[in-house]
Amino acid sequence: RLTAPGRDLLLQSPRLDVNAGGAEANVAVSLARFGHDTRMVSIMPKGNPLADAALGELRRHGVDTSHVIDGAGRMGLYFLSPGAGQRPSDITYDRMHSAFASLRAQTIDWRAALEGADWLHISGVTPAVSGAAGELALQAMKAARAAGVKVSYDANFRAKLWEARGDDPRPTLDALMGQADLAFAEARDYALITGQRFESPMDAIAAAFARYPNLQRIAHTARKALSSDHNELSAEMHTRNAHFRAPVRSVTGIVDRIGGGDAFAAGLLHCL
């Protein structure tokens, strides 16, 4: 991730701050810091200093990178203009032709990669990157289910990436959601996948449980952005016979809100 410094717009000043980041990586790091054994499965361009730095950052936090394989291509990037006051953050993606976007499903030995795992976590950002990445995500989920590994799926819809792909996201997202035991999603995600209009969020949740027999839990955050550094946060979790809601927390002095949903996912997985 390349970020404009402070509250600048992108290239308002000729500097960028660099961070390693990514939805699944954020969850893996958080769980490792909670004391869990975590493993990243991916591909990185061989001999690329950006890739080497990202892998080093994962290792620094205790994430096993032995199943990150070498490949050809470039390192995927994204650029962030941080929010300021009432101006929201804005992201520019640069992911096309990366090593990850070109990764073919048969490249990964999922039996070895999933050995000893309790959960597989996949984000909706992955299938948005490319058709090949979408096939890979679905293969990973099916392999996990066959191995008795629970599947956690964060919908994480990224319209800009899907627009760049030029494909209808619904068939892919529907197939992925069908493999999940736990979904981080909300009513608008199910409306997008099904093309239905729901009378209420609870109707959408009920429809999701009816549509996806593997699904046992649905969780999501609720955020009200009063300004870029003052948000009100809450969360909900639904099971097939219960509904839980966390109290609203007022969060001020926000330093960096990117990855907040990933932190929530890691926290819930830790508790489960």
Side-chain angles (χ1 to χ4, degrees):
R1 184 184 93 189
L2 298 133
T3 308
R7 300 297 179 90
D8 286 1
L9 295 169
L10 202 61
L11 297 182
Q12 186 174 342
S13 64
R15 294 186 297 113
L16 293 170
D17 295 328
V18 183
N19 299 92
E24 292 91 343
N26 295 339
V27 173
V29 167
S30 288
L31 285 169
R33 294 184 68 85
F34 280 133
H36 298 279
D37 295 327
T38 62
R39 178 182 303 149
M40 191 76 180
V41 184
S42 192
I43 186 170
M44 293 282 197
K46 186 175 182 179
N48 184 303
L50 298 177
D52 292 343
L55 281 174
E57 187 69 6
L58 290 172
R59 294 190 191 106
R60 183 171 76 86
H61 291 287
V63 178
D64 175 7
T65 62
S66 61
H67 285 269
V68 177
I69 61 177
D70 293 328
R74 53 182 289 266
M75 185 71 181
L77 307 173
Y78 74 94
F79 297 84
L80 171 68
S81 292
Q86 300 305 307
R87 186 190 79 210
S89 299
D90 185 63
I91 286 177
T92 300
Y93 292 102
D94 182 20
R95 303 287 302 263
M96 293 183 69
H97 309 301
S98 66
F100 185 79
S102 306
L103 179 60
R104 298 297 169 183
Q106 61 270 24
T107 309
I108 302 292
D109 180 354
W110 284 109
R111 178 174 293 182
L114 291 165
E115 186 177 358
D118 296 310
W119 285 89
L120 168 74
H121 179 74
I122 287 184
S123 160
V125 180
T126 290
V129 170
S130 68
E135 292 173 11
L136 175 75
L138 184 58
Q139 185 192 63
M141 288 176 157
K142 289 181 176 179
R145 297 206 69 83
V149 176
K150 294 186 180 71
V151 176
S152 165
Y153 174 60
D154 191 334
N156 264 348
F157 182 70
R158 296 292 183 264
K160 288 183 179 180
L161 285 174
W162 280 104
E163 287 167 8
R165 264 193 62 175
D167 295 328
D168 181 357
R170 288 175 294 183
T172 298
L173 301 183
D174 189 38
L176 295 175
M177 191 68 72
Q179 298 297 319
D181 296 277
L182 164 63
F184 294 94
E186 51 190 306
R188 63 183 177 182
D189 296 302
Y190 295 115
L192 169 71
I193 291 172
T194 63
Q196 293 178 258
R197 288 189 176 186
F198 298 104
E199 293 295 324
S200 70
M202 294 301 290
D203 288 342
I205 298 299
F209 279 128
R211 186 180 182 92
Y212 305 112
N214 290 322
L215 194 56
Q216 301 303 314
R217 296 175 189 266
I218 299 171
H220 61 85
T221 57
R223 180 190 298 268
K224 181 179 181 181
L226 303 176
S227 71
S228 63
D229 59 1
H230 182 192
N231 290 183
E232 291 180 348
L233 293 173
S234 183
E236 296 185 34
M237 183 173 70
H238 307 262
T239 67
R240 289 185 172 269
N241 54 20
H243 173 214
F244 306 90
R245 179 180 286 122
V248 175
R249 305 289 187 185
S250 182
V251 182
T252 58
I254 294 173
V255 176
D256 185 347
R257 64 161 281 183
I258 299 294
D262 301 324
F264 171 70
L268 182 54
L269 285 167
H270 167 63
C271 292
L272 292 176

